[in-house]
Amino acid sequence: MKKNAIISLYILFLAMGNKLIAQAIILPYNDFNNIPIVQAKINGNPQDFIFDTGATQTLINSDKIEGLNIIDSVRIKGLFKQSRFVYIAESPNMKIKNTGLDLKNVLYKDLSNLTRFYCKTQVYGILGNDIMEGYIVEIDSKNKLIKFYKKEKFEKEKLKGYEKFRYWTIPLIKLKINNKKHLLFFDTGFGSGLYLSGNKLLNYAKSHKGIKYYAKGAQALHDRGKTFRGYKMDSINIEMKYKFLSNQTLSAQNVTLNSAGINNMGFQYIKHFHTYIDQTGKRLYVKPYPHIAKNKYSGILKYGFDLDFDFDRHQFYVNARVELNTQLKIGDIVLKVNGHKLPQEKCGLADFKKKYFSQEMKMTILRDGTKKVVAYQVSRKSRNFNPSEN
């Protein structure tokens, strides 16, 4: 009896061990300005990092972590096609949760230029695709969790019903826009919505009354101050190439057409889908959350519009508008909401929205050089959406 009991305990421990191995490494994230911010440990100290599926390699902020051993340098081309030299350094001791990251080297660059975009968040680096090797990574946007599963222990049944996309280095996704297929980078480190290029779309923009032409000073990791011209989409029907969407369309938000050859899907869109990434096998699996499949307006912003900050003029302007909103236009400069002046810097917008945005607002705007007051009312269809989705 004693021998049988010992054998039974041994089998139980083995089963528990296999279960523990199969369990995911669960990494919560904060959605900050449409960027997932996670914590990773450097030399035992937890620090904030950007989880960036658009980056091939992990990068450490030399402004925060000094003294890494530099072993080489490389020229890297940024999102807006500028190229810069970036150091390669020996990787520090890095862990997510208590699991070590087997990185021999990392990119090493001063990221202090991004401070004005991330406000109070002190970014210590960017976690790239190299940390996902050997794992199936789940992005659970509904619960704001990123989960790492060992590939050999992953239950493939989880992927049933997901649309699959193949890629070479960085995850790619296909969209059908105005009946034409587009291949975009699936880029969680990009806070905006969709950036699209192509002559047909640009020609469409020129003849479409609801699209505003503008010039913008771009800001990305390896691009600083580069100005490019583009068209901000006021509204566009986007037919996602997913089985579960069938012939339904989604209302677009924050879409920019450009001549710089940029095709990117940012986290503002990505977070409306449940995602698995197999970086080792170079496969992306996506499925829209149920509210997306049921209602074309489910992915829109809570108030039917969004604001962006013009760092040169220190003003907020309407940069995204949906079909339900007919009272504002892209490019409108918002001066006051319910009599309260908007902040003079980007970081104050979140708190301002919490205090002064409501279902009905008197908005003082500047449109084409003329000041006017708009009695803005949020559409009833927009009121039922969860504000955390935006």
Side-chain angles (χ1 to χ4, degrees), residues 244-255:
F244 286 85
L245 284 181
S246 186
N247 293 320
Q248 297 182 52
T249 57
L250 296 180
S251 181
Q253 59 182 2
N254 204 349
V255 178

Side-chain angles (χ1 to χ4, degrees), residues 2-3 9 32 39 49 68 83 91 224 241 333 351:
K2 186 176 181 181
K3 183 178 180 180
L9 282 172
F32 188 84
Q39 282 204 333
F49 282 78
L68 293 188
S83 62
S91 177
R224 198 176 298 183
K241 188 177 180 292
I333 296 171
D351 288 338

Side-chain angles (χ1 to χ4, degrees), residues 221-265:
L221 180 59
H222 304 296
D223 308 276
R224 198 176 298 183
K226 181 178 175 63
T227 298
F228 73 94
R229 292 185 180 275
Y231 290 89
K232 202 73 175 181
M233 298 297 294
D234 197 27
S235 63
I236 187 173
N237 286 332
I238 296 181
E239 183 183 2
M240 300 290 187
K241 188 177 180 292
Y242 298 114
K243 297 173 183 176
F244 286 85
L245 284 181
S246 186
N247 293 320
Q248 297 182 52
T249 57
L250 296 180
S251 181
Q253 59 182 2
N254 204 349
V255 178
T256 303
L257 300 181
N258 68 90
S259 57
I262 304 165
N263 289 284
N264 238 45
M265 175 187 275

Side-chain angles (χ1 to χ4, degrees), residues 181-382:
K181 292 180 182 179
H182 289 261
L183 196 61
L184 295 85
F185 287 121
F186 192 80
D187 190 355
T188 59
F190 188 63
S192 298
L194 299 178
Y195 268 55
L196 305 171
S197 65
N199 290 332
K200 286 188 176 181
L201 281 176
L202 289 172
N203 291 333
Y204 170 78
K206 292 175 183 178
S207 61
H208 197 284
K209 294 181 180 179
I211 298 173
K212 185 174 181 67
Y213 178 79
Y214 81 120
K216 181 180 178 64
Q219 183 81 24
L221 180 59
H222 304 296
D223 308 276
R224 198 176 298 183
K226 181 178 175 63
T227 298
F228 73 94
R229 292 185 180 275
Y231 290 89
K232 202 73 175 181
M233 298 297 294
D234 197 27
S235 63
I236 187 173
N237 286 332
I238 296 181
E239 183 183 2
M240 300 290 187
K241 188 177 180 292
Y242 298 114
K243 297 173 183 176
F244 286 85
L245 284 181
S246 186
N247 293 320
Q248 297 182 52
T249 57
L250 296 180
S251 181
Q253 59 182 2
N254 204 349
V255 178
T256 303
L257 300 181
N258 68 90
S259 57
I262 304 165
N263 289 284
N264 238 45
M265 175 187 275
F267 196 63
Q268 189 176 27
Y269 271 86
I270 289 172
K271 64 185 179 181
H272 295 297
F273 303 92
H274 195 254
T275 305
Y276 289 96
I277 301 174
D278 176 5
Q279 175 62 13
T280 306
K282 302 295 187 286
R283 299 289 187 272
L284 170 68
Y285 301 87
V286 293
K287 184 169 73 172
Y289 285 106
H291 67 273
I292 293 286
K294 290 180 181 178
N295 192 318
K296 67 177 289 186
Y297 296 111
S298 295
I300 68 175
L301 301 163
K302 180 186 177 185
Y303 295 103
F305 70 94
D306 198 14
L307 300 177
D308 199 4
F309 190 67
D310 186 327
F311 284 96
D312 296 324
R313 299 178 183 178
H314 295 278
Q315 294 174 319
F316 285 97
Y317 67 94
V318 177
N319 77 319
R321 193 196 78 152
V322 297
E323 296 171 23
L324 298 174
N325 174 356
T326 58
Q327 299 164 281
L328 297 173
K329 293 183 178 181
I330 286 178
D332 286 347
I333 296 171
V334 181
L335 303 175
K336 295 181 181 179
V337 172
N338 294 331
H340 300 279
K341 290 183 179 180
L342 268 76
Q344 296 298 301
E345 43 87 30
K346 182 181 178 71
C347 299
L349 181 62
D351 288 338
F352 185 88
K353 282 183 176 181
K354 291 177 182 178
K355 287 182 180 179
Y356 304 118
F357 272 36
S358 58
Q359 301 296 327
E360 297 181 5
M361 297 177 279
K362 283 190 176 181
M363 301 178 65
T364 305
I365 65 171
L366 192 64
R367 179 182 294 170
D368 300 325
T370 302
K371 186 183 294 187
K372 62 183 298 184
V373 176
V374 175
Y376 184 77
Q377 186 172 0
V378 179
S379 166
R380 292 184 180 277
K381 289 184 180 180
S382 298

